[in-house]
Amino acid sequence: MKMICDRTLLSNAVAGVSKAVTQRSSIPVLEGILMKAEGFSLTLTGYDLEMGITTNIEANVLEPGEVVLSAKLLGDMVRRLSSSEVEITATETNATTIKGGITEFDIMGMNPGDFPELPSPGADHTLDLETPTFREMVETTLFAVSQDDKKPAHTGELFAIEPDKLTVVALDGYRLAIIEKPVKAAKDINIIIPAKTLAEAIKLFTDDDEVVHIAANRRFVVFSSRTYTVISRLIEGDFLDYKRVIPEGYHTRVTVDVRDFSNSIERASLIITERLKNPLRITFDGNITVRCQTTLGKVVDELDAEIEGEPVEIGFNNRYLLDALRYSRCDKLVFEVSGPLSPVKVLPKDGGDFLFLVLPVRFKND
């Protein structure tokens, strides 16, 4: 293999596909990127046996061929070259030269025949999403994905695809995030996509003018655009029937300014540490009073709010409450409270397409 390409294009491509490369593996080839040069392009592939990422960049291919190179080594070398072009040559024994200007690296590549083939998912085209919509739906909900492997289905996000609507749901047992968007889908299917896949996909699909094409079946999902293709195994298992846990109605309705409420919670959180995790004691009665007490000290803070209905005092985990405020991306939010121990609904004030649930914390003296 021998080819010449733009250094910046190659550096970005290596960084992109490296998201699917295993950092440390008993199978050395999984720590590498498969590079295949043919025609007028170079194809790069990373694959950790769960998720695969491929991309193509323009290249002047002098001799077609392929080689697997260490993702970390390749990325570091290309990034540090001072020239605008990179020349890569690989022999039949996988001895590889990476050259840019007067700098030349010689490294040993790995046998491309040992690189695992990406699965053929056989997934049919399911729907298209504008890139900003795709990112918004994932970013608004991903914070609520469970980190507990005891319930594998909840370590991913549910994509409930209907012919005219896409619903994305994440939950971890303490909070729940739902967002809905109108779509035109080719089929009706529910799939659970690993959080890692979605976290990496939203970093790759950054061009707001692009469309993300989604293909899915019961085992795989494929996201693709002009620049990248991401293929991932799905998570098997049953996702919680989230509709059943959403309370109907409310006894207290509170409209808050997101920035003011966030600032108040952050002030109260100054005396909360990993070791001292007392809940916030929040009272909705005329205005909002935020209290917290740990062995470090005591905080009392107040802020104005529009409150309808019965007064109520409720306990919150400070981080869960801050996450709901931060990921809402709203200036005003509505909290609908059914009681001190019922899940609290968090909604956009002006109407919108998302709903958060935050589970209250029971006070120790209750």
Side-chain angles (χ1 to χ4, degrees):
M1 181 186 88
K2 184 174 183 179
M3 65 92 202
I4 300 170
C5 66
D6 180 83
R7 186 187 67 84
T8 302
L9 280 180
L10 180 59
S11 182
N12 290 340
V14 169
V17 300
S18 290
K19 306 294 185 184
V21 173
T22 305
Q23 297 299 316
R24 287 194 179 94
S25 174
S26 57
I27 308 171
V29 77
L30 292 181
E31 298 178 22
I33 291 172
L34 174 63
M35 304 177 70
K36 185 173 184 178
E38 60 182 352
F40 299 96
S41 69
L42 174 69
T43 302
L44 297 92
T45 303
Y47 183 37
D48 65 4
L49 302 181
E50 293 294 327
M51 175 177 67
I53 300 175
T54 65
T55 189
N56 294 287
I57 61 171
E58 290 183 4
N60 179 11
V61 179
L62 305 175
E63 294 177 19
E66 55 186 344
V67 68
V68 177
L69 300 178
S70 162
K72 185 178 187 310
L73 205 53
L74 176 64
D76 288 345
M77 288 176 174
V78 172
R79 192 166 55 249
R80 284 168 170 77
L81 290 175
S82 57
S83 61
S84 60
E85 284 190 340
V86 181
E87 179 183 304
I88 299 180
T89 305
T91 68
E92 290 183 1
T93 60
N94 303 311
T96 303
T97 300
I98 301 169
K99 186 177 181 181
I102 59 172
T103 306
E104 186 175 304
F105 296 107
D106 290 315
I107 61 173
M108 274 306 299
M110 292 170 274
N111 185 357
D114 294 337
F115 196 85
E117 281 191 38
L118 287 178
S120 299
D124 298 325
H125 176 258
T126 306
L127 76 154
D128 294 333
L129 287 178
E130 299 290 332
T131 296
T133 301
F134 174 65
R135 284 205 312 270
E136 179 194 353
M137 295 190 79
V138 174
E139 289 173 352
T140 302
T141 52
L142 200 60
F143 73 93
V145 168
S146 175
Q147 306 300 314
D148 188 351
D149 290 336
K150 292 177 183 176
K151 293 183 178 178
H154 296 160
T155 62
E157 292 204 327
L158 174 67
F159 272 51
I161 302 169
E162 300 174 59
D164 61 349
K165 180 174 65 176
L166 169 62
T167 306
V168 177
V169 187
L171 59 91
D172 66 1
Y174 303 99
R175 62 259 180 97
L176 176 146
I178 305 171
I179 187 167
E180 291 182 352
K181 296 283 187 182
V183 298
K184 290 183 180 179
K187 60 181 176 181
D188 200 323
I189 187 172
N190 286 358
I191 56 176
I192 305 172
I193 304 173
K196 178 189 174 185
T197 299
L198 293 167
E200 300 303 347
I202 58 175
K203 295 174 189 172
L204 297 174
F205 301 123
T206 56
D207 187 341
D208 288 352
D209 296 326
E210 283 193 344
V211 172
V212 178
H213 308 287
I214 302 175
N217 57 22
R218 296 295 174 189
R219 296 183 60 215
F220 294 98
V221 64
V222 181
F223 300 103
S224 58
S225 71
R226 288 198 310 267
T227 48
Y228 285 95
T229 297
V230 179
I231 179 172
S232 173
R233 295 183 188 275
L234 297 174
I235 298 175
E236 297 180 3
D238 295 322
F239 204 85
L240 178 76
D241 183 359
Y242 63 93
K243 293 178 182 177
R244 291 191 333 171
V245 303
I246 301 173
E248 293 185 9
Y250 57 87
H251 295 151
T252 309
R253 190 173 194 269
V254 184
T255 303
V256 301
D257 181 275
V258 170
R259 178 177 292 181
D260 290 347
F261 201 14
S262 298
N263 289 341
S264 179
I265 294 166
E266 286 174 353
R267 286 192 288 269
S269 299
L270 293 174
I271 59 169
I272 299 173
T273 66
E274 280 298 310
R275 194 169 52 86
L276 305 170
K277 290 185 177 179
N278 282 8
L280 301 177
R281 188 181 288 262
I282 297 180
T283 306
F284 300 116
D285 183 10
N287 59 12
I288 299 175
T289 305
V290 179
R291 296 183 177 87
C292 187
Q293 184 167 351
T294 71
T295 54
L296 285 178
K298 179 179 178 181
V299 179
V300 180
D301 199 23
E302 289 190 3
L303 66 149
D304 295 329
E306 300 172 29
I307 300 177
E308 307 166 22
E310 304 170 6
V312 63
E313 184 177 69
I314 193 164
F316 285 105
N317 176 296
N318 64 314
R319 185 168 65 84
Y320 295 162
L321 196 53
L322 274 174
D323 281 346
L325 294 168
R326 182 179 300 122
Y327 289 103
S328 71
R329 303 182 184 184
C330 292
D331 294 326
K332 299 276 189 180
L333 282 175
V334 170
F335 285 64
E336 292 184 353
V337 186
S338 298
L341 298 177
S342 297
V344 176
K345 289 188 284 189
V346 183
L347 306 151
K349 177 181 182 291
D350 299 323
D353 43 30
F354 73 83
L355 164 70
F356 298 154
L357 280 190
V358 183
L359 206 64
V361 178
R362 186 188 293 270
F363 299 122
K364 289 180 181 178
N365 59 352
D366 285 355

